[in-house]
């Protein structure tokens, strides 16, 4: 949607300005962040794109539509994170469990700095305090799909973000 595209451009401009002369490694959390991160990379000004590399990290935390409460790393980054400025990119943060686990894992590899960028922030579900450096949109407590986000592997390729019917979790 146009709203997503505009917000991605704004985030790309902020990131480019903040890392003006600094090489950056974006690490996307698979699979939900893939589309967002690719659009974010495409939206970077050309001068900034020459200083940005990217990689992915795989995690598992859901069984169907329910979080298991456990996050396991299923795919390691291939790029060495040591002495790099790292921006961890995710599609959505709700409880914060996945992002917290990834930040700990990245931090264990001695990067120079670590920041976060998420498309959707769902603070009403937060169980772990996470500082978000860049956030696209704050959303209410609903299960969303599209633009890389899925419901049990469905809906990920929608070009917009929609709310799964009967998905509110507050009863």
């Amino acid at each position: 949607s146009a709203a997503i595209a505009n917000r991605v451009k704004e985030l790309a401009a902020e990131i480019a300005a903040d890392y003006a002369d600094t090489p950056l490694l974006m690490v996307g959390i698979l699979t939900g962040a893939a589309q967002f991160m690719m659009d974010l990379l495409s939206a970077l000004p050309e001068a900034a794109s020459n200083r940005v590399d990217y990689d992915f990290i795989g995690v598992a935390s859901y069984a169907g539509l329910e979080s298991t409460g456990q996050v396991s790393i299923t795919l390691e980054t291939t790029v060495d994170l040591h002495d790099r400025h790292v921006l961890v990119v995710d599609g959505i943060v709700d409880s914060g469990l996945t992002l917290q686990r990834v930040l700990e894992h990245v931090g264990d590899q001695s990067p120079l700095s670590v920041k976060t960028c998420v498309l959707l922030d769902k603070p009403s579900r937060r169980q772990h305090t996470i500082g978000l450096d860049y956030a696209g949109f704050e959303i209410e407590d609903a299960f969303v799909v599209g633009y890389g986000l899925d419901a049990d592997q469905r809906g990920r390729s929608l070009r917009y973000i929609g709310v799964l019917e009967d998905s509110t979790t507050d009863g």
Side-chain angles (χ1 to χ4, degrees), residues 19-20 22 24 30 36 47 50 54 70 72 81 84 104 116 157:
Y19 291 92
T22 306
L24 177 64
L30 290 174
F36 170 48
N50 293 332
Y54 70 90
Q70 301 293 317
S72 57
L81 306 184
R84 300 287 302 260
E104 289 169 359
T116 59
S157 63

Side-chain angles (χ1 to χ4, degrees), residues 2-4 24 46 49 54 62 66 81 113 121 125 128 139 155-156 164 168:
I4 294 171
L24 177 64
E46 191 170 339
S49 68
Y54 70 90
Y62 272 76
E66 296 295 321
L81 306 184
S113 69
D121 177 18
R125 301 265 301 158
H128 301 274
I139 64 169
R156 194 181 300 280
L164 203 59
T168 55

Side-chain angles (χ1 to χ4, degrees), residues 137-157:
F137 301 96
E138 185 173 305
I139 64 169
E140 297 298 317
D141 185 13
F143 203 106
V144 293
V145 296
Y147 197 68
L149 307 173
D150 73 294
D152 199 16
Q153 303 304 320
R154 304 187 105 172
R156 194 181 300 280
S157 63

